[in-house]
Amino acid sequence: MIDMKNYGWQPSMLQEDVDGIPARITAVHRERYELVCSHGTIFGKLKTAVYYGQGEDFPTVGDFVFVRYGASGDSLIIKTFPRKSFFSRREPGPIPRDQAVAANFDTVFLMTSLNRDFNVGRLERYLTLAWQSNATPVVILTKADLADEYEAQIQAVQEIAVGIDVIAVSAVTGQGLGIISNYLQPQKTVVFLGSSGVGKSSLLNALAGEKLMDIKAIRENDSRGRHTTTHRQLFMLPYGAMVIDTPGMRELGMWDVSSGLGEAFSDVKEVLSRGCKFTDCHHQTEPGCAVKSAIENGELSADRWQSYLKLKHEAKYTDDKIGFMRERQQWHKSLAKWSKQQKKNGGIKK
């Protein structure tokens, strides 16, 4: 018998009587789910009347659910319990849809490698979504053994990840593994997020002390890899911590990130909180603009401000496509006017 407390289940999570037993989703295979419960590893399917008829939240990896156990076949999933954390992304396409990625994790390992795949702009996007998930983000810089010097990369990350741990690791030499083990405690769950080829599978294998995932070589010309992980999966490590590994996601569509933006861009929010001379300030050429002043005196970089605007506008797109397109056209016109004015004043400070 498996004690579900080892998988993070707490009896207090049960807020109503449900005719079934608790289980946790460990993998999703199309319409079939892999779960762990007191009986061990099982497979299950959704109860159609509940999930399609009553609007119950469709489960994803990491979710706690109740099932009616089937000893001789698939069990029946009848309820998804409320989540303490949740990560989703907007699926690409003409009609925005919310795609569940993982749930009920304590920490988000935002992973980027110290090679040509290193991208601060992409990391800003990951940070925003990580803060929105209601979990604690940690930046993991992988493949430290392949970089002669990476102090500049660490500094660049620290400038955008204020107050967040930034850890350089190597799955080959073991560098940094002792530090990140502080986050890998019994009954705690960590989710790995990062592009394909950053070394998520290599790190997972190193932490587990065994080969849990296959590893594929990256392409030499651009340091990018193919997807080793083809689906999201929860692994139990030998010392009781759990890791949710996810497929590489180079493009992440923004969804509702209202609180995530505030956390990821706390430096920008601090400047905005000071208030401008005019309440309807567009932060372009108006006198008494707090943003313009912060950029001119070097307190806030123009690149950082533009990243904030880009993600904010992209998130708005999902709520109001027509309004977004109209606002984006006006934004580009204002941006061009602002850039021209900055050049006249001596150039844009980075």
Side-chain angles (χ1 to χ4, degrees):
M1 295 289 286
I2 291 179
D3 187 349
M4 285 301 295
K5 289 183 180 179
N6 294 331
Y7 280 85
W9 168 260
Q10 299 295 329
S12 59
M13 297 169 62
L14 183 59
Q15 300 176 349
E16 57 184 277
D17 292 333
V18 182
D19 182 20
I21 61 173
R24 193 171 191 188
I25 305 290
T26 57
V28 179
H29 308 281
R30 294 181 181 270
E31 296 181 358
R32 197 166 184 241
Y33 295 79
E34 186 174 341
L35 310 95
V36 62
C37 68
S38 58
H39 297 278
T41 298
I42 62 173
F43 289 88
K45 292 184 178 181
L46 302 178
K47 184 176 181 180
T48 303
V50 172
Y51 284 90
Y52 291 92
Q54 300 178 18
E56 186 77 11
D57 287 334
F58 285 83
T60 188
V61 175
D63 265 322
F64 290 101
V65 297
F66 250 50
V67 301
R68 290 175 184 164
Y69 177 66
S72 58
D74 285 348
S75 297
L76 194 62
I77 302 172
I78 58 177
K79 181 177 179 58
T80 303
F81 280 86
R83 299 153 171 158
K84 68 177 181 180
S85 58
F86 177 62
F87 177 81
S88 66
R89 70 168 183 168
R90 181 172 58 85
E91 286 186 325
I95 302 177
R97 292 185 299 176
D98 198 12
Q99 181 190 55
V101 176
N104 295 312
F105 42 86
D106 302 279
T107 309
V108 185
F109 277 8
L110 304 176
M111 301 173 63
T112 186
S113 56
L114 290 165
N115 58 13
R116 282 177 287 180
D117 187 68
F118 183 81
N119 186 305
V120 173
R122 188 186 309 128
L123 189 56
E124 285 179 318
R125 180 182 295 265
Y126 274 110
L127 279 166
T128 301
L129 291 168
W131 278 120
Q132 186 72 24
S133 74
N134 201 36
T136 302
V138 177
V139 177
I140 307 296
L141 303 179
T142 62
K143 304 184 181 181
D145 56 294
L146 300 180
D148 295 328
E149 296 182 0
Y150 46 81
E151 288 75 13
Q153 286 97 321
I154 290 179
Q155 182 177 352
V157 173
Q158 289 175 335
E159 288 177 356
I160 67 165
V162 182
I164 296 174
D165 285 344
V166 180
I167 307 169
V169 305
S170 169
V172 176
T173 67
Q175 175 185 338
L177 299 189
I179 300 176
I180 65 175
S181 65
N182 294 325
Y183 293 96
L184 298 166
Q185 299 298 319
Q187 301 180 15
K188 298 296 183 181
T189 304
V190 173
V191 62
F192 285 4
L193 294 178
S195 300
S196 178
V198 300
K200 297 190 299 295
S201 297
S202 296
L203 180 60
L204 177 61
N205 290 344
L207 293 172
E210 61 179 302
K211 185 178 179 181
L212 295 179
M213 297 293 296
D214 291 329
I215 300 171
K216 294 180 180 178
I218 62 173
R219 298 194 299 259
E220 293 296 334
N221 62 330
D222 59 5
S223 297
R224 295 178 182 175
R226 293 176 294 169
H227 295 297
T228 300
T229 305
T230 58
H231 61 277
R232 298 176 294 279
Q233 187 168 354
L234 183 147
F235 296 92
M236 173 68 78
L237 299 182
Y239 37 91
M242 288 158 284
V243 170
I244 298 176
D245 192 19
T246 64
M249 293 179 287
R250 180 162 299 279
E251 298 298 331
L252 281 176
M254 305 300 289
W255 198 249
D256 176 16
V257 290
S258 53
S259 64
L261 270 175
E263 294 285 356
F265 289 85
S266 57
D267 52 341
V268 176
K269 284 295 188 180
E270 196 281 327
V271 171
L272 290 172
S273 69
R274 300 171 189 173
C276 299
K277 181 177 180 180
F278 301 103
T279 56
D280 60 346
C281 184
H282 293 157
H283 315 300
Q284 306 288 333
T285 59
E286 297 90 340
C289 173
V291 173
K292 186 174 69 172
S293 176
I295 293 175
E296 289 176 349
N297 64 31
E299 180 185 356
L300 180 68
S301 76
D303 286 345
R304 181 72 167 157
W305 173 244
Q306 293 306 319
S307 293
Y308 170 78
L309 290 179
K310 179 181 179 181
L311 294 182
K312 182 179 180 181
H313 279 71
E314 184 180 336
K316 181 178 175 61
Y317 174 81
T318 62
D319 295 327
D320 181 7
K321 183 176 180 179
I322 296 177
F324 170 84
M325 296 299 290
R326 187 186 306 114
E327 184 175 318
R328 188 177 68 170
Q329 291 176 349
Q330 182 60 43
W331 176 58
H332 281 303
K333 290 180 181 178
S334 299
L335 178 60
K337 182 179 179 181
W338 177 81
S339 298
K340 184 177 181 180
Q341 184 66 37
Q342 288 294 311
K343 290 178 180 179
K344 287 184 178 180
N345 295 336
I348 302 175
K349 296 181 181 180
K350 297 291 185 181

